[in-house]
Amino acid sequence: MTKTLMRVLLLKTRQFVGRRLICSCVKDDISAVTASTASSHSKQGCEMQDLSSTPSTSQIPPLRAVPKNYQHILALAFAAKEINENSQLLPNVTLGFHIYDSYFDAKWTYYAAMQLLSTVERFVPNYKCGTQNNLIAVIGGLDAHISHYVAIVLDIYKIPQLIYGSAPVMNDKTPGLSFYQMAPNEAFQYTGILSLLLHFKWTWIGVLVMDNDNGERFVQTVFPMLSNRGICFAFTERIRAISFISEIDGMFQNGAKIYDKIMDNQANVVVVYGDTYSMLYLRLFPYLSEQEHATNRAKGKVWIMTTQMELISLVYQRTWDLDMFHGALSFTIHSKDIPEFHQFVENRNPSNTRGDGFIRDFWQHAFSCVFHNAVVDNMKGGICSGKEKLESLPESFFDLRMTGHSYSIYNAVCAVGHALHAMSLSRLKYSAKINESGPEFQHQQAWQLLHFLRGISFNNTAGDKVFFNQNGEIVAGLDVVNWIISFNQSFHQVKVGRMDPQDPPEQMFTINEDFISWHSWFNQAQPLSLCSENCHPGYGRKLKEGEPFCCYDCFPCPEGTISDQKDMNNCYKCPNEKYPNRNKDLCIPKDIGFLSYEKPLGFSLACFALSFSLVTALVLGTFMKHHDTPVVKANNQSLTYSLLISLLLCFLSALIFIGHPGKVTCLFRQTTFGIIFSVAVSCVLAKTITVVLAFMATKPGSRIRKWVGKGLANSIVLSCSLIQGGICAVWLTTSPPFPDTDKHSVMGEIILGCNEGSVTMFYCVLGYMGFLAIISFTVAFLARKLPDSFNEAKFITFSMLVFCSVWLSFVPTYLSTKGKYMVAVEVFSIIASSAGLLGCIFSPKCYIIVLRPNLNTREQLIRRKVSLLAPSNPS
């Protein structure tokens, strides 16, 4: 049966020097798919053709081979073989491929790209004659600038390119080129780097990039992103690319300076953005430094590698020390191991592999041997037997498992195969002409494939779903891989994390720290990378002048503030319900505080108030029991009772201030205290005025006699009390007191108290009481020497002196205290002033009534009056 041969061409960037071939195997960097008709009953056809117009060896720099990249060839061949063996995909169609080399040079890249569009045997672009290669797609390459050159040519013909390396940087002068990216979007990788740095709290890092457009894009994009999240840059170094052999010495000198700077800097983390070949340059670093300084630096660093970087080796780097990369963390394109590929690679052998024009070159470089009749310059070693085992090669030299780049090539070929299959089904759907051998692919146009590539979605044999987003970028995750270098220099990779674009943003990045092996320099502890030591909780940080914001000094938090995390920029105040502990690193819930009966202070004041109340009641009872005695009668009996009752209420009013402040107690405690005290002071004032008027009424012809009596005393008490009552009524009407909490006055305590509402009215009440007390003191002081045997004026004078002293000292003391102690001061002042009135006025009378009843007689009263009125004899 006649079958159609589909050719997939891979244009490669220098992997081997020597033969430039078009062959059914992959070389290194760029591939293409062509369609042509052939009569073949086998799906294993392979063409090999020398390119006579390729550059001569004198024009190509004498580079060495990178054996590990041979796996890219095998990945392409394996993918084509898998598709060809799949009867459900592209039936009756054989998929083949050609390989071209770009030599890292724009001229030869354009030449190779144009060859894809020319006659098979002659380089005649845009001229159809002879046998044509119907180019369908290009797969490649590792280097962004090479992919860019090819895309410029292919865009003219709308031929898609599937890039498995870095995407080229577009600028304003570059049109929208037709290429698909087999690696996830760069921005996704940048987010992964940021997440990794934030996870380990690495805020002081170095950056090493290639000095090209992609490196500059990385710097311009990542630096603001990291800076906004608190990450600073200790240094930024650019690795110069070389265009001529004469620049190698300069590159070595530059490399030595970069390596020394990295090792001397205290930043323990270095982010490296480059491509696969950057690794060859990095491996030179320790040896460059030894040549210049003759020192061996064993200081470890955490190298963070980007997706395009793989650990590869040139032939002469095979035995080089890899210890500097132990513990490195690398972002790699998510891949799964394909067992069939492992077996496919193991079966490769120069003696039984046909159509592979690269295996002999690879074999000689990998095993340091030569085949009979082979001409290899400067190749030392024995004769290749062809029986050498690939699994004996170190992983840094050749890997049997599919690497990230190989996995991308594999997916690219599968994507082209599925797109071609979808295109053939589309032709069948619309009743296109189908011959017996299958769809007429020779009439297919490359631009038609663009539409089908954009819409493909399939699961590869590893179980991963492959599809592109609207920007032509594959939707795939990234693996975080830890590089492990054993004591015998064997290399292997351990997956320790993942970046999955399908997960929610907060779950997109995951990592398992327990699986990570760090460099021995860090003693297997998680490395720190900080410009300054952490500021511990209880301290804030202050930026150092002239230094990056990651460099700072620590200072203890000011009083009343805390910091409960490391490296906090500012200390902050605790919520109102909490207060800082001694170390200023924790907020402790405040205690609820008020003048309570359960606490010693409140209990003591309550006891004093009740005790004096009891004493006042006893005095009142004593006076009532002896109400008909001369002492009681001579001191205005009704005023005395009123004064004692008001003093009793004064002592009891103190109890309203103790206990949990409620709405009712807050509303009435100050007004009750003010009115009761005003009554007491008014009684004292009335007694004083009565004494003065009584003495003046005893003079012959005095008109004051008619004023002396109970009516005057009652009028004084009533009027003075009503004025205070009016003040309190205005207070309660305009701005009454209410329960309140004070969360700021006392550290560590929330004070429950009463807000006085209007402070002005509160001091008006106190001021009015003071006014009455001063008048009473003044009148009593003037009447202290009146000739009355039971004259109270001198006792009232002393009592008012005590009363005024207490309340004058109350004001500054009250204002200088906080919390429940303000209430305690007021309660103490109430008790003390009331006790002063009680003791000074009534203790002498009680003494006579109880202890000296013989003096409590009318005769004693008259005798004392006469003795006081009689003129004294001169001595």
Side-chain angles (χ1 to χ4, degrees):
M1 182 173 61
T2 304
K3 299 182 180 180
T4 301
L5 174 67
M6 300 297 302
R7 290 198 176 100
V8 180
L9 287 86
L10 184 69
L11 181 61
K12 297 299 296 173
T13 312
R14 297 171 295 186
Q15 174 183 349
F16 302 109
V17 259
R19 304 175 64 189
R20 274 71 66 191
L21 306 170
I22 299 180
C23 163
S24 60
C25 305
V26 182
K27 213 172 176 190
D28 182 345
D29 203 26
I30 304 174
S31 6
V33 179
T34 63
S36 61
T37 304
S39 295
S40 173
H41 297 282
S42 172
K43 292 190 175 186
Q44 301 298 326
C46 173
E47 297 183 40
M48 185 176 295
Q49 178 179 346
D50 289 325
L51 298 179
S52 58
S53 56
T54 53
S56 64
T57 54
S58 61
Q59 296 173 288
I60 304 171
L63 299 178
R64 297 290 184 178
V66 181
K68 194 170 186 177
N69 285 353
Y70 176 63
Q71 190 192 97
H72 301 172
I73 297 173
L74 301 182
L76 182 71
F78 174 75
K81 175 178 176 292
E82 188 178 80
I83 292 174
N84 291 335
E85 292 176 351
N86 187 349
S87 60
Q88 302 300 319
L89 190 65
L90 292 176
N92 300 324
V93 175
T94 300
L95 195 64
F97 49 88
H98 283 183
I99 302 171
Y100 288 79
D101 202 336
S102 67
Y103 301 102
F104 284 119
D105 183 82
K107 173 183 176 182
W108 297 111
T109 299
Y110 286 129
Y111 173 82
M114 294 304 298
Q115 267 199 324
L116 299 175
L117 305 166
S118 303
T119 305
V120 175
E121 298 180 355
R122 300 179 62 186
F123 179 65
V124 186
N126 293 328
Y127 184 72
K128 295 185 177 180
C129 63
T131 304
Q132 297 290 322
N133 284 326
N134 187 18
L135 182 63
I136 295 297
V138 171
I139 300 175
L142 271 181
D143 299 283
H145 67 286
I146 297 298
S147 300
H148 191 194
Y149 298 150
V150 174
I152 292 174
V153 176
L154 298 181
D155 185 61
I156 301 172
Y157 304 92
K158 302 304 178 187
I159 297 172
Q161 180 185 193
L162 287 81
I163 299 174
Y164 63 90
S166 299
V169 177
M170 299 291 114
N171 52 50
D172 296 337
K173 298 180 181 180
T174 304
L177 303 180
S178 303
F179 62 81
Y180 289 82
Q181 191 173 339
M182 300 308 299
N185 187 286
E186 289 276 340
F188 184 61
Q189 180 179 201
Y190 301 158
T191 303
I193 294 173
L194 174 61
S195 301
L196 181 65
L197 295 175
L198 293 178
H199 178 82
F200 289 110
K201 297 181 174 59
W202 291 329
T203 59
W204 186 240
I205 67 171
V207 175
L208 189 61
V209 300
M210 296 300 293
D211 191 9
N212 54 29
D213 290 342
N214 284 60
E216 191 60 32
R217 175 181 61 184
F218 178 83
V219 171
Q220 296 298 328
T221 305
V222 170
F223 274 43
M225 179 190 299
L226 300 188
S227 297
N228 291 337
R229 299 301 299 273
I231 297 172
C232 301
F233 303 94
F235 58 84
T236 304
E237 294 296 330
R238 290 172 169 81
I239 302 175
R240 293 186 304 179
I242 61 170
S243 303
F244 304 97
I245 299 299
S246 58
E247 298 177 356
I248 289 182
D249 289 340
M251 182 189 70
F252 286 169
Q253 294 177 3
N254 181 52
K257 293 179 181 178
I258 292 175
Y259 179 72
D260 292 338
K261 186 172 184 177
I262 291 173
M263 290 302 161
D264 290 337
N265 198 281
Q266 75 177 83
N268 288 325
V269 176
V270 182
V271 178
V272 186
Y273 180 86
D275 51 32
T276 299
Y277 299 105
S278 305
M279 184 56 60
L280 302 176
Y281 187 66
L282 290 180
R283 296 193 64 183
L284 285 169
F285 274 5
Y287 300 94
L288 296 176
S289 181
E290 285 182 359
Q291 291 175 4
E292 185 170 341
H293 302 289
T295 59
N296 184 19
R297 305 189 183 201
K299 185 176 181 181
K301 298 289 180 180
V302 179
W303 302 87
I304 298 179
M305 312 290 186
T306 50
T307 53
Q308 296 303 323
M309 301 189 68
E310 292 180 353
L311 184 57
I312 59 176
S313 303
L314 294 170
V315 174
Y316 59 81
Q317 292 177 320
R318 179 174 187 150
T319 59
W320 283 15
D321 186 16
L322 295 171
D323 185 65
M324 67 175 288
F325 296 114
H326 179 65
L329 296 173
S330 173
F331 285 89
T332 63
I333 301 169
H334 173 67
S335 61
K336 289 185 178 178
D337 194 23
I338 303 176
E340 293 81 3
F341 177 75
H342 193 284
Q343 184 179 0
F344 176 79
V345 174
E346 282 187 333
N347 292 336
R348 305 300 288 187
N349 190 287
S351 59
N352 60 14
T353 302
R354 294 183 303 166
D356 188 342
F358 303 103
I359 191 168
R360 291 173 65 87
D361 287 338
F362 161 75
W363 210 268
Q364 292 180 139
H365 285 98
F367 294 104
S368 299
C369 63
V370 294
F371 288 99
H372 290 290
N373 304 321
V375 179
V376 181
D377 297 334
N378 300 322
M379 177 65 73
K380 297 180 180 179
I383 302 298
C384 297
S385 65
K387 296 181 181 180
E388 293 82 2
K389 298 296 183 181
L390 291 175
E391 54 265 31
S392 65
L393 297 174
E395 191 172 331
S396 62
F397 208 62
F398 186 78
D399 199 346
L400 294 177
R401 295 177 302 174
M402 193 172 281
T403 63
H405 286 132
S406 297
Y407 195 68
S408 296
I409 294 172
Y410 169 79
N411 284 332
V413 177
C414 292
V416 172
H418 280 81
L420 288 171
H421 184 73
M423 190 162 59
S424 68
L425 293 179
S426 175
R427 291 174 61 85
L428 287 171
K429 180 179 179 180
Y430 292 99
S431 303
K433 181 180 179 181
I434 305 297
N435 58 27
E436 295 181 357
S437 61
E440 297 181 4
F441 279 100
Q442 64 269 25
H443 300 299
Q444 295 284 16
Q445 300 298 320
W447 60 266
Q448 294 175 307
L449 191 64
L450 287 170
H451 169 74
F452 292 97
L453 275 172
R454 189 175 297 112
I456 65 163
S457 178
F458 64 93
N459 290 331
N460 61 21
T461 55
D464 285 336
K465 189 173 183 179
V466 179
F467 65 99
F468 298 98
N469 60 20
Q470 64 274 15
N471 298 321
E473 300 159 342
I474 193 170
V475 179
L478 297 175
D479 293 327
V480 183
V481 175
N482 185 213
W483 291 8
I484 309 297
I485 313 297
S486 303
F487 66 93
N488 60 353
Q489 293 302 300
S490 62
F491 166 74
H492 65 280
Q493 304 176 69
V494 177
K495 290 184 181 181
V496 296
R498 178 81 192 275
M499 278 287 293
D500 193 340
Q502 307 296 325
D503 290 337
E506 64 276 5
Q507 302 175 4
M508 188 179 296
F509 175 80
T510 57
I511 194 165
N512 193 330
E513 300 177 30
D514 297 334
F515 291 172
I516 300 177
S517 176
W518 303 109
H519 195 279
S520 58
W521 174 269
F522 305 112
N523 295 320
Q524 286 305 310
Q526 178 188 319
L528 298 176
S529 191
L530 307 169
C531 179
S532 302
E533 289 294 327
N534 292 117
C535 291
H536 296 288
Y539 290 82
R541 62 182 186 181
K542 181 180 180 182
L543 298 182
K544 293 182 179 179
E545 189 174 353
E547 297 286 340
F549 61 85
C550 293
C551 305
Y552 45 80
D553 294 317
C554 301
F555 64 91
C557 288
E559 202 64 37
T561 62
I562 72 157
S563 63
D564 55 358
Q565 298 178 12
K566 289 183 178 181
D567 296 333
M568 294 191 66
N569 291 327
N570 298 299
C571 303
Y572 65 92
K573 292 184 178 180
C574 291
N576 291 333
E577 296 77 15
K578 298 181 179 181
Y579 71 100
N581 63 349
R582 180 178 298 179
N583 296 328
K584 300 178 182 179
D585 59 359
L586 183 66
C587 287
I588 302 175
K590 292 182 177 180
D591 296 328
I592 304 298
F594 57 91
L595 191 61
S596 171
Y597 290 106
E598 288 78 16
K599 298 297 177 63
L601 180 59
F603 180 77
S604 301
L605 291 174
C607 289
F608 278 117
L610 291 174
S611 299
F612 281 109
S613 299
L614 180 61
V615 172
T616 305
L618 291 174
V619 172
L620 178 61
T622 301
F623 269 65
M624 293 179 68
K625 182 178 180 180
H626 301 85
H627 66 279
D628 55 349
T629 60
V631 171
V632 176
K633 290 180 178 181
N635 287 278
N636 198 327
Q637 190 175 14
S638 60
L639 278 179
T640 299
Y641 291 162
S642 298
L643 179 58
L644 285 172
I645 292 173
S646 62
L647 288 176
L648 174 63
L649 294 176
C650 284
F651 287 120
L652 294 177
S653 68
L655 299 177
I656 305 177
F657 291 83
I658 305 173
H660 192 286
K663 186 176 181 180
V664 176
T665 55
C666 286
L667 190 64
F668 292 111
R669 70 180 189 178
Q670 295 290 4
T671 54
T672 301
F673 146 72
I675 292 173
I676 293 174
F677 252 80
S678 296
V679 172
V681 178
S682 298
C683 291
V684 175
L685 177 61
K687 288 176 71 68
T688 307
I689 293 176
T690 300
V691 170
V692 174
L693 293 179
F695 175 76
M696 295 176 65
T698 58
K699 295 180 180 180
S702 175
R703 297 180 180 180
I704 302 177
R705 182 176 298 178
K706 62 181 180 179
W707 293 98
V708 178
K710 295 182 178 179
L712 176 63
N714 293 337
S715 299
I716 293 173
V717 173
L718 184 62
S719 60
C720 292
S721 301
L722 286 176
I723 293 174
Q724 183 71 291
I727 295 174
C728 292
V730 173
W731 185 6
L732 295 177
T733 304
T734 57
S735 181
F738 57 90
D740 196 10
T741 56
D742 182 1
K743 301 177 180 180
H744 306 289
S745 297
V746 180
M747 181 73 70
E749 197 171 20
I750 298 176
I751 302 300
L752 300 182
C754 295
N755 189 312
E756 307 304 346
S758 174
V759 178
T760 302
M761 297 304 297
F762 172 64
Y763 284 109
C764 284
V765 170
L766 293 180
Y768 180 72
M769 286 192 307
F771 172 73
L772 294 179
I774 290 173
I775 293 178
S776 298
F777 173 75
T778 303
V779 175
F781 181 78
L782 295 175
R784 70 188 185 282
K785 293 184 179 180
L786 291 178
D788 188 350
S789 60
F790 292 101
N791 183 14
E792 292 182 292
K794 52 187 173 183
F795 302 122
I796 293 174
T797 301
F798 189 70
S799 66
M800 287 295 102
L801 182 63
V802 173
F803 184 89
C804 292
S805 299
V806 170
W807 287 104
L808 285 175
S809 61
F810 161 78
V811 175
T813 307
Y814 183 81
L815 295 176
S816 62
T817 54
K818 296 179 181 179
K820 61 185 178 182
Y821 297 104
M822 295 179 68
V823 182
V825 167
E826 188 170 0
V827 172
F828 176 79
S829 299
I830 292 172
I831 296 174
S833 58
S834 301
L837 292 176
L838 179 66
C840 294
I841 295 175
F842 293 100
S843 58
K845 299 178 178 65
C846 290
Y847 174 75
I848 293 174
I849 293 172
V850 176
L851 299 179
R852 301 291 299 275
N854 59 313
L855 298 178
N856 190 9
T857 62
R858 184 176 179 82
E859 292 76 14
Q860 290 293 330
L861 177 62
I862 295 174
R863 185 181 301 115
R864 295 190 64 183
K865 283 185 177 180
V866 171
S867 63
L868 290 171
L869 293 173
S872 58
N873 296 322
S875 55

